[in-house]
Amino acid sequence: MAGPWVLGIESSCDDTAAAVVDPDGRIQGDVISGQDALHADYGGVVPELASREHLAHVRQVVEQAMAQAGVPLSKLDGIAVTVGPGLIGSLLVGVSFARALGFASSKPVIGVNHLEGHMFAPFVGSPEPEFPFVALVVSGGHTSLYVVEALGRYRVLGATRDDAAGEAFDKVAKLLGLGYPGGAHVDRLARDGNPGAVAFPRAMLAKGGYDFSFSGLKTAVRYHLERAGATVAHADVAASFQEAVVDVLVAKTLKAANEYRVARILVSGGVAANTVLRQRFEGACRRAGYRLAVPAARFCTDNGAMIGWVGWQRIKHGLGSTGLCVRPRLAL
Ligand code: KG4
Ligand code: ZN
């Protein structure tokens, strides 16, 4: 049975993005307009500037995605849009735009949870996910572990008690004098460093169940830099910090897969773009006999395709919407 044509719109943080999903679940148009340069001077996303920028670009981004796909508005079966979690002003731009577009074209609009988008990003472009799996969602705002039995059936095993993994990458990048967002910079710098150079703490590795904590690690990096002063090799610090984050993420995720007896592991969100994280998960899953799914690099960080794809699944299987109210603190 042919599935629907769906337009996906994402504006929860600082990327304005849109994509078109065809009846087979493939991505036909995919446009992202980022704001890194705008926020770089502030070392983080400035919400007021982000929403203004979304407003300036959303129409053009959607039109470009539709043009790439070569489908007219009349051919769409639905419009999927991120309703949360995220920055309220940013979310409002995407949701208002989607609702107006749906009203003008008499197309249904369905709300999608941003975290659900990230979670299923490894399946973007393919027709169906394979259940069950353990999912690690690691982004700038979230670090959570789930057991997933079906789309919409999530059991939260644990989450970060303080900073998200991506947030820790961004803060450490700032300490090292690197640009924003910091994850990719730390990733690059760490290639020239020794991951065993500094023994940074692995918080809650043995205890704490499936919860995480990364703020102590960030503080340990700061103290180390202050103590060592000019003599310290920044590449070694970056590599050692990254190793500490990856150790904890890999260990807890594999422990969960073992305890909940699933054969498949998914890792997604912006931090899933990290080179060492991907290598370590690949090695650990191969040795322990788990099947690993990670998104293509482009679909790790925020994008419209993951939102469109979840909307496509929801429409195809009659699963309905997450609602159309903007929900900055929406959980999964
Ligand atoms: O998923 P995302 O685009 O936005 C949120 O929903 O939060 O994730 C952005 C986060 C940022 O913290 C960024 O530093 C991190 O993902 N990130 C990385 C890498 N690329 C992006 N962290 C580590 N290594 C990378 N290569
Ligand atoms: Zn995100």
Side-chain angles (χ1 to χ4, degrees):
M1 186 192 70
W5 279 95
V6 177
L7 167 68
I9 300 174
E10 154 67 35
S11 73
S12 67
C13 189
D14 61 345
D15 292 302
T16 320
V20 176
V21 187
D22 77 9
D24 295 317
R26 290 184 304 235
I27 306 306
Q28 296 298 350
D30 180 22
V31 177
I32 301 175
S33 170
Q35 307 176 1
D36 287 353
L38 178 69
H39 302 289
D41 287 348
Y42 305 93
V45 177
V46 183
E48 293 289 327
L49 297 182
S51 40
R52 195 175 65 187
E53 202 72 357
H54 284 304
L55 194 55
H57 294 292
V58 65
R59 175 175 177 167
Q60 179 196 339
V61 165
V62 167
E63 280 176 353
Q64 271 180 21
M66 296 290 290
Q68 274 181 11
V71 285
L73 200 53
S74 59
K75 212 169 161 190
L76 291 181
D77 297 295
I79 299 162
V81 62
T82 305
V83 293
L87 301 170
I88 190 159
S90 291
L91 290 164
L92 273 167
V93 175
V95 171
S96 303
F97 187 86
R99 290 177 77 154
L101 196 62
F103 176 72
S105 60
S106 301
K107 302 292 178 186
V109 181
I110 67 163
V112 170
N113 185 319
H114 182 76
L115 296 173
E116 198 171 38
H118 272 306
M119 178 184 283
F120 286 93
F123 296 113
V124 163
S126 58
E128 291 297 330
E130 285 174 46
F131 300 102
F133 54 79
V134 157
L136 172 70
V137 180
V138 264
S139 70
H142 297 269
T143 300
S144 306
L145 255 180
Y146 308 87
V147 182
V148 183
E149 272 141 37
L151 198 129
R153 294 232 313 268
Y154 313 112
R155 175 165 169 192
V156 184
L157 301 181
T160 182
R161 295 192 184 172
D162 39 59
D163 292 354
E167 198 178 347
F169 267 95
D170 293 337
K171 288 176 176 171
V172 165
K174 208 170 180 175
L175 293 172
L176 292 171
L178 304 171
Y180 174 85
H185 292 286
V186 173
D187 192 342
R188 263 194 304 279
L189 181 62
R191 280 173 211 165
D192 302 321
N194 170 12
V198 192
F200 286 126
R202 271 72 172 155
M204 305 174 78
L205 186 58
K207 51 184 173 49
Y210 293 112
D211 280 350
F212 302 91
S213 166
F214 293 108
S215 82
L217 173 57
K218 165 206 67 194
T219 308
V221 172
R222 183 156 57 85
Y223 285 158
H224 182 81
L225 288 169
E226 283 169 8
R227 262 198 317 271
T231 61
V232 68
H234 280 191
D236 284 349
V237 174
S240 301
F241 155 77
Q242 184 172 270
E243 193 74 2
V245 174
V246 170
D247 270 356
V248 176
L249 294 175
V250 170
K252 293 215 180 204
T253 306
L254 267 84
K255 185 171 161 230
N258 180 47
E259 182 176 341
Y260 291 91
R261 306 195 166 283
V262 302
R264 184 181 266 273
I265 290 175
L266 260 73
V267 184
S268 53
V271 182
N274 185 269
T275 319
V276 169
L277 182 104
R278 290 168 89 100
Q279 286 166 357
R280 289 280 306 281
F281 264 106
E282 274 160 24
C285 288
R286 194 178 338 104
R287 280 191 297 280
Y290 294 111
R291 290 170 66 201
L292 175 70
V294 289
R298 180 175 177 80
F299 299 141
C300 286
T301 45
D302 292 348
N303 64 86
M306 67 186 192
I307 303 304
W309 193 86
V310 167
W312 180 83
Q313 277 279 321
R314 288 193 163 273
I315 291 173
K316 189 177 166 197
H317 297 298
L319 293 170
S321 161
T322 303
L324 276 176
C325 285
V326 166
R327 295 166 70 186
R329 302 184 64 84
L330 179 63
L332 194 60

